[in-house]
Amino acid sequence: QVQLAESGGGLVQTGGSLRLSCVVSGSMFSILSMGWYRQAPGKQREVVAEIFSDLSTKYSDSVKGRFTISRDDIRNTVDLQMDKLNPEDTAVYSCNAVYPLGVEVWGQGTLVTVSS
């Protein structure tokens, strides 16, 4: 069974950068899309960035221009480069893979904390 494992979270100051990585155990060939989501304390989970099988990308308005999602099918990873971080970006970030027939796989998440 495919598993996702995130890494790269941590504590950073306002204005700083972090790079999150999601490793996919297994082939990425059949994945329709992958995304990074986040859930802040007391808030609902929201989608941050998505990358599709044609390598097109989509970002939430709150991160557009600051975050970049990328996919590497050789390393089996999907990364999220986060720049110009602010305290509102503090959350648990999780990656998600969508397969045909509506099958979805989630990682455990990695915590990002941005101090003011």
Side-chain angles (χ1 to χ4, degrees):
Q1 182 175 350
V2 173
Q3 293 183 326
L4 308 181
E6 303 96 335
S7 63
L11 174 64
V12 65
Q13 291 184 332
T14 295
S17 298
L18 280 176
R19 187 176 184 89
L20 306 182
S21 186
C22 175
V23 178
V24 181
S25 67
S27 173
M28 296 178 65
F29 178 76
S30 58
I31 294 176
L32 300 177
S33 68
M34 291 200 67
W36 281 96
Y37 290 70
R38 69 185 181 187
Q39 186 166 20
K43 295 187 177 181
Q44 289 189 331
R45 184 168 59 194
E46 61 173 349
V47 60
V48 173
E50 296 174 279
I51 187 164
F52 302 92
S53 56
D54 62 357
L55 300 184
S56 61
T57 57
K58 185 177 180 181
Y59 298 91
S60 68
D61 288 342
S62 61
V63 308
K64 200 173 294 182
R66 300 188 298 122
F67 290 11
T68 304
I69 189 170
S70 60
R71 169 175 170 160
D72 187 331
D73 286 9
I74 295 176
R75 293 171 54 233
N76 268 25
T77 59
V78 174
D79 291 349
L80 184 68
Q81 175 67 38
M82 306 186 296
D83 299 317
K84 301 178 182 178
L85 287 161
N86 59 64
E88 289 71 39
D89 296 316
T90 295
V92 174
Y93 285 71
S94 302
C95 70
N96 161 275
V98 178
Y99 289 83
L101 303 180
V103 174
E104 294 191 49
V105 180
W106 289 89
Q108 293 291 325
T110 185
L111 176 63
V112 172
T113 304
V114 185
S115 63
S116 57

